[in-house]
Structures are given as C-alpha cells and as structure tokens.
Amino acid sequence: MTPKPFNFPAKRRTGLLLLTAAVAATAAAAQASNTHELSSLSAGKLGAEVHGLVRTARAVSAVASTVVDYEFSLRGLRKDSDQYRHSISEVHLRSAKRFLKLCEVNKGFYVKAGQFVAAQRVLPKEYSSTLSALQDQVAPLPFKVIKGVLKDNLGPDFTEMFESLDEEPIAAASIAQVHHAVLKSDQEVAIKVQYPWVQQQMTFDTRTMYFLSKTIAWLYPQYRFEWLPLAFADSMAAELDFIHEARNSERAAKNLRNNKLIRVPHVFWDLTSRQVLTMQFYTGRKIDDLDFLNQLGVEPEKVDLSQFTTMVAKSLIELFAEMIFVHGYIHGDPHPGNILVSPEGSNGFSLVLLDHAVYRELDEEFRKDFCQLWEALILKDLNKTLRLGERFGAGKYSRYLPIIFTGTPVESKHAFGISTAEKETMINELKSLLFDDLSSFMETLPPDFIAIMRIDGMIRSIIRKMGVSRVTRLLTYTKYAVYGLLCSKLDVESSRSPMKSYFAVEAAFLSFIATLKYVLILIKVLIGSIDSTPWRQKVNNVLNYMHSKISSEFWGIVVHPVFLLLWIRPNVLF
C-alpha cells in the first residue's frame, strides 16, 4: 500500500518547536556538568536545581523524539489494517525503550514514575513489559547525611536511644535508605530514613511530568492519560509521609491478625516521624528467590520442594485474596521486594509484608459486587457477569472480564482451562480490538477495579515465576470471595467489646456456611465440565436450589437475630 502524502499538522509542528526550544534552553546545563558531579551536588539547593534542569532536558528530548516517531511511522496507515497494528507495536516498543533509558539515567522519581506507569497496566503492553524492568535501587548516601535527618527528627541525642546503629544501610532506594539498629531493650529494628532533598525533587519532577503530559494532550486530543502524572503525584505524596505509612501498617496488621503465616512489622511510634520510620526487624528473602526457597524446602522437617513452593505461593494468594475480598483494604505495591519469606513460622516459614506507604481502600458496595463477580466468573454465569460488568461501567466490554481474570473466554465450557479452538477464537477476537477500544474500556472502569487488575497482575507474575498453577489462584480467590460476601465487615464488629465472643461464634458459623457454599461451587464447576446428560441436569437443579439458599442476605437475616437472642438469653432453648 502506498502511503498517503503527509503534511505535518501546524499544531504539532508548533508543539515540536516548543519542545525543541525547551531542550535548547536546558542543554547548556546538561553540558556544564556531568551526571556524577550533579549527583554529588544534589544535597545542596543550587545543585538540586541544576540537576533538575538536566533531568528536564532529557525528558523533553525523549518526549519530542517519541512524538516524531509516532507521527512519521504511522502516517498514511489505516487503523484497522494489519500493517498499522504491526507498525504501532514497533513504535510502542521503541518509545518504551526510550523512556526506560530516560528513567534509568534520570533515576529518582523518574524510576518511581516508570514503575508506577508499568503497574497501572493502562498503556500498551510494550510499555508495561519494558518499564517493569526498572529497579528502584540507588547508591546509598554517606551516614553523615542520614545522621542529620535523624537529628532533625529524633533529636540531637538520638544515639542514646540505641544500643547500636549500623552506619552501612541494608537497603537503599529512590527516596530513602534503611539501617539496622538495636534498641536498649535488645529489640532489633529497621530504621527507614528519607533523603533530605526528596520533597523538593519530587515537586520539580512531577511538575515536569505534568507539563509534558499536558503538551502531548494538546498535540493529540485522543491522548487519554493526563491523569497519570496527578495520580503519580498523589501516590508519591502518600509515600513520602512515613506517619501515613505507619498508620497503614497498623491497620493492615489488625486486619491480618488471624492469619498466622503473615507478619507485619510493629511500628515504634516514639522513633517515627514524617521522615523517619522505625519498625520491627525481620530476617528473610524476596518471595521469588527460588534458591532461598530451595534451602528452606530441603530441611528434614519440611515437605519436598515443589510442595513447599506451592505452600508459600498459596499463602501469598490467600494474603491478597483476604485483602481484596474480605477487608477491601489492599497493599498497593506487592512486588517481590516488599514480600519476604522468613524461616520463622509454624509451617517452617512466614511471609513478612513490608512498605505500607500506598494502600487502596475499596468502596464497600464495590467489594461486595466484586465478590459476586468472581463467583459468576467461576460458575460461567454469563448473564450475571454481564450485569455486574454493566454496574462496573465496562459496558460492551464486560464479555472480556473472564479473559482478564480467569484466562478463558466467556463462552468457554472449561472453568480453569481452554481448548485449542477456544484459544484461537479468543486471539482473533482480541486482535480486532484497537488501542482506542482498550483505552475506552480502561476509562470506563472505576479506580477500584483498575487497582485490583494491577495488583492481581503483580501476584500472577510472582506465582508464575514460582511455577505454581493458576488454578491455585482461581480456587483460592473463589473461597475468599464466598467468605467475603457472607462475612461482610465481621472483623470490624468482632473487635468491639462486650460482644467479642458473640461475633467470634457467629464468624465461625458463617465460615462453615461459606465453606459449604464453596464446596457446592466446586461441585457445580466439576459437573459443568462434563458433557450434558439427564442425570447432570437433575444434580444441577438440586445444586442451584441449595446455592440459592446459601446467600449473604439469607444468613444475614436469619443468623444474626438468632445469635443475638442466644447472647441475651442463653437459656432460651432449654
């Protein structure tokens, strides 16, 4: 096909001239100092400003190059053609690599921004997969700089609070580094100390990102991601407030107190401020460190390696299933570095959940609807899936929800697998979707839904690396979806005295009902995978009747008054 003659639009030509001028205005700063010299100046106000100008110059240059790449590579191509799809995928990949290099060179908040964008999963897969390679690791600062922050936040005599304080950090990232210490009480702690110029750098960099995003939106009205810089700024503002992080940590610990395999570090409030966070120290390694799991799994008192890895992965899935379906309060950044496997625990291990800066609290009605959606997905209930999809705002794209979460098309007869023919049909159907379709789909979804998609994607990535079957995830989610719908908000109520024992008994009973309902779902799934026969229809009728009776409304009406009566008058039945 011969490309159509191309005239660069005046609006975009003007935009590129502005971007080029911005590059030229800051190029002198970039030539005046190299990266290493500027990094050493960052602690000072002048050095930070010059460093910011250099980072801005690189960012403007990357955006300008990307605009030109899209303009000239896609000119004259029809959006519904195979050539267009092939070409735009190549441009996406080149641009993603360009931004990856930008983030790696600029470091700091650009690395954070790249990770944030990759985690949102709203951009084409070329961006998400490329930017997900970013590692938030930097060279640690000298202890004299960290010591100044500790003095400002804990007082000039802060050293008297510790038996020892290691000057060499055990971890260093874009906004803070962590030191090991021992209190006078012999309690081991980890002290997270924020870098002194981080707030100023964040303000400078996020303004740059916002300006560039607005410029792209001006050049391309179809650009729909102006919200990303603002969302990133909000996320970073929460991450820079260590008091906020400490409160999140305590709330998560309270929610997960009945899970014996989960450890959330205790916060030492007398040694915590907006820039310093002191927590209980745990030993452990990243959950996807398979060599470490090998060492734990081969010990005599433990099971064989494959079973042990599955146990660890299942604990991870249960942790986030409980957060999503039961509490509606979800850790926002579950990458492997924030989930450690410790050799301490009743089953030979425990999971240590770190970095509680960013959490997502689900709307209660949304949480209940999502529990129902998961049941509908597993039971292949097309009508209910479409109805709930409409409620979530997915509209005509609701039929793709099973593909997103279970990996099977909505018409599939298989609950956990997919036939070759179904796979081919699904691939051809997805090929017909344009990027604009995907953008429209993501825009219609509520933020809670997108957050779950992102977090679920990160969990899937971890268990895939651990070699654990996706069926484990699907079944575990189903169990917690059932429980979450039946036992709504019981944890909040059960913590109140003097009704604590009452709610404990009620929770145990509803847990039994949830288990029964879960078993019924599994039986229905098993029967649904068998070819239709008269006996199967009879069994299905019975199961449907039993399933309809075991609902949150039914037991909410019946169980609660009965237990309350027994609590008030224990001898009422005698």
Side-chain angles (χ1 to χ4, degrees):
M1 182 183 72
T2 304
K4 297 177 182 178
F6 177 75
N7 294 315
F8 207 98
K11 182 179 181 180
R12 297 177 193 172
R13 183 167 62 246
T14 303
L16 281 177
L17 288 174
L18 290 173
L19 289 173
T20 305
V23 173
T26 51
Q31 294 174 350
S33 295
N34 61 42
T35 302
H36 298 295
E37 291 171 341
L38 287 169
S39 296
S40 65
L41 289 172
S42 292
K45 184 177 181 180
L46 178 61
E49 290 178 353
V50 175
H51 197 193
L53 288 174
V54 174
R55 294 195 309 275
T56 299
R58 295 192 191 109
V60 172
S61 177
V63 169
S65 300
T66 299
V67 169
V68 171
D69 196 357
Y70 275 97
E71 282 286 355
F72 284 96
S73 299
L74 303 177
R75 63 177 179 176
L77 299 179
R78 287 174 43 217
K79 289 188 175 182
D80 59 349
S81 66
D82 290 337
Q83 187 178 357
Y84 178 87
R85 283 191 284 268
H86 177 72
S87 297
I88 198 171
S89 179
E90 290 184 336
V91 180
H92 287 334
L93 185 58
R94 285 197 301 271
S95 302
K97 289 180 178 178
R98 193 177 293 122
F99 285 117
L100 174 66
K101 184 177 180 180
L102 169 68
C103 294
E104 289 175 338
V105 174
N106 274 2
K107 298 182 172 62
F109 286 99
Y110 281 85
V111 172
K112 287 284 188 182
Q115 291 176 326
F116 181 81
V117 169
Q120 299 307 305
R121 301 188 182 276
V122 295
L123 293 177
K125 66 180 185 302
E126 291 85 357
Y127 283 91
S128 297
S129 58
T130 301
L131 294 176
S132 62
L134 286 168
Q135 298 295 318
D136 188 18
Q137 296 176 342
V138 300
L141 289 182
F143 187 71
K144 63 180 181 180
V145 178
I146 298 301
K147 189 174 182 179
V149 179
L150 291 172
K151 279 185 178 180
D152 291 341
N153 287 268
L154 304 183
D157 301 325
F158 75 92
T159 53
E160 297 179 1
M161 305 175 184
F162 303 98
E163 187 67 33
S164 64
L165 174 58
D166 297 344
E167 295 189 3
E168 287 296 318
I170 56 178
S174 299
I175 67 170
Q177 62 190 52
V178 181
H179 292 258
H180 174 267
V182 180
L183 301 179
K184 293 291 186 180
S185 61
D186 290 331
Q187 171 72 59
E188 288 186 273
V189 295
I191 308 175
K192 184 177 178 181
V193 186
Q194 193 176 120
Y195 301 139
W197 61 83
V198 160
Q199 188 66 52
Q200 178 187 2
Q201 189 182 89
M202 187 200 77
T203 302
F204 194 102
D205 287 348
T206 52
R207 285 178 178 173
T208 298
M209 295 171 194
Y210 180 72
F211 164 76
L212 292 175
S213 184
K214 292 289 286 185
T215 301
I216 295 173
W218 177 64
L219 294 173
Y220 296 93
Q222 67 269 33
Y223 174 77
R224 297 169 175 172
F225 303 107
E226 286 183 79
W227 57 271
L228 272 175
L230 294 176
F232 171 68
D234 289 342
S235 174
M236 289 311 305
E239 197 163 340
L240 292 180
D241 184 354
F242 289 175
I243 292 178
H244 176 77
E245 179 176 349
R247 288 174 180 154
N248 287 344
S249 175
E250 288 198 333
R251 181 173 173 183
K254 182 179 179 180
N255 286 346
L256 301 168
R257 63 189 179 277
N258 295 324
N259 192 327
K260 303 305 180 185
L261 290 177
I262 305 302
R263 304 283 187 270
V264 177
H266 172 73
V267 176
F268 293 85
W269 280 103
D270 55 334
L271 298 173
T272 294
S273 67
R274 285 182 61 89
Q275 290 184 301
V276 176
L277 175 58
T278 305
M279 305 160 288
Q280 183 179 1
F281 178 81
Y282 280 100
T283 58
R285 301 279 285 274
K286 292 181 180 180
I287 192 169
D288 64 347
D289 188 338
L290 300 184
D291 290 337
F292 180 66
L293 294 183
N294 277 341
Q295 296 172 17
L296 289 181
V298 297
E299 293 182 10
E301 68 272 15
K302 299 190 178 74
V303 296
D304 67 78
L305 179 60
S306 62
Q307 289 179 317
F308 182 71
T309 304
T310 301
M311 285 171 56
V312 174
K314 192 170 185 296
S315 297
L316 171 67
I317 300 168
E318 287 180 339
L319 165 61
F320 281 89
E322 183 177 348
M323 285 185 163
I324 293 170
F325 295 105
V326 180
H327 305 297
Y329 189 67
I330 317 168
H331 190 291
D333 192 19
H335 66 74
N338 287 337
I339 307 164
L340 305 184
V341 179
S342 170
E344 304 171 1
S346 57
N347 288 347
F349 75 95
S350 60
L351 299 185
V352 182
L353 191 60
L354 304 176
D355 195 351
H356 302 269
V358 180
Y359 269 76
R360 182 83 196 181
E361 183 166 12
L362 304 180
D363 175 78
E364 177 61 7
E365 288 304 312
F366 173 89
R367 185 192 67 80
K368 293 177 183 177
D369 286 344
F370 193 75
C371 289
Q372 292 189 63
L373 174 65
W374 196 265
E375 280 189 33
L377 293 176
I378 295 300
L379 291 172
K380 296 295 180 182
D381 188 335
L382 174 59
N383 291 332
K384 191 172 183 179
T385 297
L386 296 178
R387 186 171 68 254
L388 288 167
E390 287 285 347
R391 194 179 301 176
F392 289 134
K396 65 180 181 180
Y397 303 104
S398 299
R399 64 190 317 274
Y400 296 108
L401 295 179
I403 296 176
I404 292 172
F405 288 109
T406 67
T408 59
V410 70
E411 299 89 355
S412 175
K413 297 178 181 179
H414 305 275
F416 305 121
I418 182 172
S419 67
T420 303
E422 288 173 341
K423 186 174 183 180
E424 290 178 357
T425 301
M426 181 178 71
I427 291 174
N428 291 330
E429 189 172 354
L430 291 176
K431 276 184 178 179
S432 66
L433 290 174
L434 298 174
F435 175 60
D436 287 346
D437 292 321
L438 297 176
S439 298
S440 298
F441 171 54
M442 297 302 292
E443 282 182 343
T444 60
L445 295 175
D448 286 349
F449 199 98
I450 295 176
I452 290 178
M453 288 174 59
R454 178 176 62 83
I455 292 163
D456 178 56
M458 298 175 80
I459 299 303
R460 277 194 272 183
S461 176
I462 295 174
I463 64 174
R464 191 182 304 119
K465 184 175 180 180
M466 298 172 73
V468 176
S469 169
R470 69 190 184 93
V471 175
T472 303
R473 165 182 152 271
L474 296 177
L475 291 178
T476 304
Y477 276 16
T478 302
K479 183 174 81 172
Y480 278 87
V482 171
Y483 183 81
L485 197 56
L486 284 170
C487 308
S488 176
K489 293 297 183 183
L490 273 178
D491 279 349
V492 175
E493 295 175 326
S494 64
S495 63
R496 297 172 182 167
S497 181
M499 305 289 283
K500 191 172 183 179
S501 58
Y502 157 70
F503 282 114
V505 176
E506 184 185 13
F509 180 75
L510 288 178
S511 179
F512 167 75
I513 297 299
T515 302
L516 178 59
K517 185 175 180 181
Y518 171 62
V519 171
L520 288 175
I521 289 175
L522 293 184
I523 294 174
K524 289 189 70 174
V525 168
L526 178 62
I527 293 176
S529 63
I530 303 173
D531 290 337
S532 181
T533 58
W535 69 266
R536 192 191 82 165
Q537 186 59 47
K538 292 178 182 178
V539 173
N540 260 329
N541 291 338
V542 174
L543 290 175
N544 286 333
Y545 176 79
M546 294 176 66
H547 191 272
S548 67
K549 293 302 180 183
I550 304 177
S551 64
S552 56
E553 291 81 7
F554 176 79
W555 291 109
I557 294 171
V558 174
V559 175
H560 194 85
V562 171
F563 272 82
L564 189 59
L565 179 61
L566 290 174
W567 176 262
I568 298 172
R569 298 183 61 189
N571 299 322
V572 70
L573 297 180
F574 303 99

